[in-house]
Amino acid sequence: MEFLWDFFVAPFLDMIDFPIFLAEVAVSGLLTGVMYSLVALGFVLIFKASQVFNFAQGAMVLFAALTLVGLMEHGVPVWGALPVTAIVMVALAFAIERGMLRPLINQPPITLFMATIGLSFLLEGAGEWVWGSNVKALDLGIPSSPVDVGGMLLNEFDLIAALVAAVLVAALALLFQHTPMGRALRAVADDPQAALSLGISLRTIWIIVWSVAGIVAIVAGIMWGAKSGVQFSLSLIALKALPVLILGGLTSVPGAIVGGLIIGLGEKVAEVYWGPVIGGAIENWFAYMLAMLVLMFRPQGLFGEKIIERV
């Protein structure tokens, strides 16, 4: 009976008795969720344009962060290192299109997926070869002290990082929903052959989308690298984006945003209120459990399109 009380009743009583603390936990989770959405967005953009599940997105985040901090360690100021890193990621997009995507046109999806796994190891190896394998501190001059926001104590760095990520996510959502390039992207995603017949270049779309995913990787690498250091475990952040994709839908930009917010909020609230009851570490597996439940009842995700095949 004591366990049932602690698990089902006590957490809700704590939420009612301490609403300000609940608001702090919720906002902190939402701020983390925005960061998850940023990483998941890279997956969605590439999958929509080329039907490739890019397993290397986490390695791209790591490679972008390593390039930026490596340039800064060699005396390049941050305002100069950022555009150089962006040029490197765009050049990488051209190389991926020419060396990986173009030779594998019309190949089965599993072949393309395996190619991105190889790309992941290639980027990690190249990053270690060029910049070394030591943990690197990324200091952007952003304070991480707590600030009072409406009676809640929130981390100043988390607020700024979430604001930057939210602006980028919103800009990309508008770009791909209300611009000619966005319409071309949706056309390619819906029917590549029809898009080709209308004069839309698949290769151009691929380069643009992989370049945008590279820019997203830079921002994600900066934010996560400044928070926890630029290290090779940074590439594992992609694994945390997978439940976000399952929840929101692999082809939905709004789904990546909403999915990230739900995962961030849910895991933070679960860790704080239910973690002490079952021994903690809920944040490590909560997202995957939620994704499993979604797969059982709505395999296409909350915003994904249901696939109907004739048999």
Side-chain angles (χ1 to χ4, degrees):
M1 286 296 294
E2 183 179 354
F3 176 80
L4 294 178
W5 172 270
D6 291 340
F7 192 85
F8 291 104
V9 180
F12 296 102
L13 293 179
D14 289 340
M15 293 179 188
I16 295 172
D17 292 339
F18 304 99
I20 297 298
F21 180 69
L22 172 62
E24 285 183 12
V25 173
V27 173
S28 178
L30 291 173
L31 296 179
T32 303
V34 174
M35 302 290 287
Y36 290 157
S37 298
L38 185 62
V39 179
L41 196 59
F43 284 95
V44 172
L45 296 177
I46 290 175
F47 188 84
K48 283 176 70 68
S50 55
Q51 298 299 303
V52 176
F53 184 84
N54 181 27
F55 188 83
Q57 185 65 31
M60 290 174 63
V61 172
L62 170 65
F63 187 78
L66 283 174
T67 302
L68 178 69
V69 75
L71 291 171
M72 293 174 63
E73 286 182 347
H74 284 76
V76 182
V78 64
W79 54 265
L82 276 173
V84 173
T85 304
I87 292 172
V88 169
M89 299 307 292
V90 172
L92 178 64
F94 274 90
I96 290 171
E97 189 280 327
R98 183 65 182 89
M100 188 183 79
L101 294 179
R102 194 182 300 184
L104 295 179
I105 289 177
N106 296 325
Q107 295 299 312
I110 186 63
T111 302
L112 291 167
F113 174 68
M114 295 302 294
T116 64
I117 294 179
L119 176 64
S120 175
F121 286 108
L122 177 64
L123 291 177
E124 289 186 11
E128 182 176 1
W129 177 53
V130 176
W131 305 115
S133 58
N134 295 329
V135 178
K136 304 176 187 298
L138 180 56
D139 184 9
L140 301 177
I142 302 176
S144 58
S145 55
V147 293
D148 189 304
V149 180
M152 300 179 292
L153 288 178
L154 302 174
N155 187 288
E156 188 173 357
F157 177 85
D158 289 344
L159 288 171
I160 296 174
L163 178 61
V164 172
V167 170
L168 180 60
V169 168
L172 290 175
L174 292 175
L175 177 68
F176 286 102
Q177 292 293 330
H178 301 289
T179 64
M181 185 177 70
R183 289 191 289 271
L185 170 64
R186 295 197 301 275
V188 170
D190 291 339
D191 192 331
Q193 297 301 323
L196 277 172
S197 68
L198 294 174
I200 298 174
S201 171
L202 293 183
R203 293 171 181 173
T204 301
I205 292 295
W206 288 342
I207 292 173
I208 291 174
V209 170
W210 279 81
S211 298
V212 172
I215 302 302
V216 170
I218 294 174
V219 178
I222 289 173
M223 299 309 173
W224 287 104
K227 190 172 184 178
S228 58
V230 178
Q231 50 191 314
F232 277 76
S233 61
L234 195 62
S235 62
L236 299 179
I237 190 64
L239 298 179
K240 208 56 178 287
L242 297 182
V244 176
L245 296 171
I246 293 172
L247 184 61
L250 192 56
T251 60
S252 173
V253 172
I257 300 170
V258 175
L261 295 176
I262 293 175
I263 293 294
L265 173 63
E267 69 178 15
K268 189 67 68 175
V269 170
E271 177 66 34
V272 170
Y273 288 98
W274 281 273
V277 181
I278 62 175
I282 290 181
E283 282 184 297
N284 294 332
W285 53 263
F286 174 85
Y288 301 98
M289 183 192 70
L290 183 59
M292 182 181 67
L293 292 175
V294 171
L295 283 174
M296 292 172 59
F297 299 100
R298 190 174 174 83
Q300 71 272 25
L302 298 178
F303 293 83
E305 298 178 359
K306 190 173 183 179
I307 300 174
I308 301 176
E309 295 183 353
R310 296 182 182 274
V311 295

